[in-house]
Amino acid sequence: MTTELQPHRSGGVATLLGATCSAVGAGALVAVLALAVAGGGAAGAALAGAALALVVMAFGAFAVDLVATVMPAASLLVALLTYALQLVLMTVLLTAASDVDALAGHGRAGWLVAAVVAVVLVWTLSQLVLASRRRIPAYDVALPGEARSADVRVSVR
């Protein structure tokens, strides 16, 4: 019995988009909670924090996925450098946000930080779950008489 699998497609972008959607939901949830508890200013600060975290996380993840697709040997180095850059960038942006009166005043800083933490935690958990569910072939070899292609063919007997 021969089983034909679907052509091998990179699921990296789908994984990252799934993580993005989950993180957007977490940010929106924190913003709605902030609106209900502390009013519109707190909700605005929560939305700002969620957007900040989403931009930083998405930029890093999509950059690593692009490098892993184009040059897999460099992906670990780029992932480590991107992680360090994300930490520095988040520190700089949160420090700058603490100086903005509209985001830092009257308990709004707590909602901003809560949204950042929620988005980063949900992003990370979602990306781990989605990536662990992907089916990635360990290797792709050409079968006898065939040119190597993007299709993965498995013969099960």
Side-chain angles (χ1 to χ4, degrees), residues 25-155:
L29 185 64
V30 171
V32 168
L33 184 62
L35 180 64
V37 171
L47 287 174
L52 174 81
L54 279 168
V55 168
V56 170
M57 297 297 287
F59 172 75
F62 281 106
V64 171
D65 185 62
L66 178 66
V67 170
T69 301
V70 175
M71 203 165 63
S75 62
L76 180 60
L77 176 64
V78 171
L80 291 172
L81 289 173
T82 302
Y83 178 71
L85 178 65
Q86 284 176 323
L87 287 175
V88 170
L89 188 59
M90 284 297 289
T91 302
V92 168
L93 291 174
L94 287 174
T95 302
S98 70
D99 293 337
V100 176
D101 290 335
L103 297 177
H106 305 292
R108 294 178 187 143
W111 289 106
L112 183 131
V113 171
V116 168
V117 169
V119 165
V120 170
L121 286 177
V122 169
W123 175 285
T124 303
L125 181 64
S126 178
Q127 193 172 12
L128 285 171
V129 168
L130 292 170
S132 66
R133 291 182 179 172
R134 282 182 47 205
R135 296 187 63 174
I136 303 171
Y139 52 86
D140 184 14
V141 295
L143 298 174
E146 288 186 354
R148 188 170 186 200
S149 68
D151 290 346
V152 177
R153 302 182 193 282
V154 176
S155 178

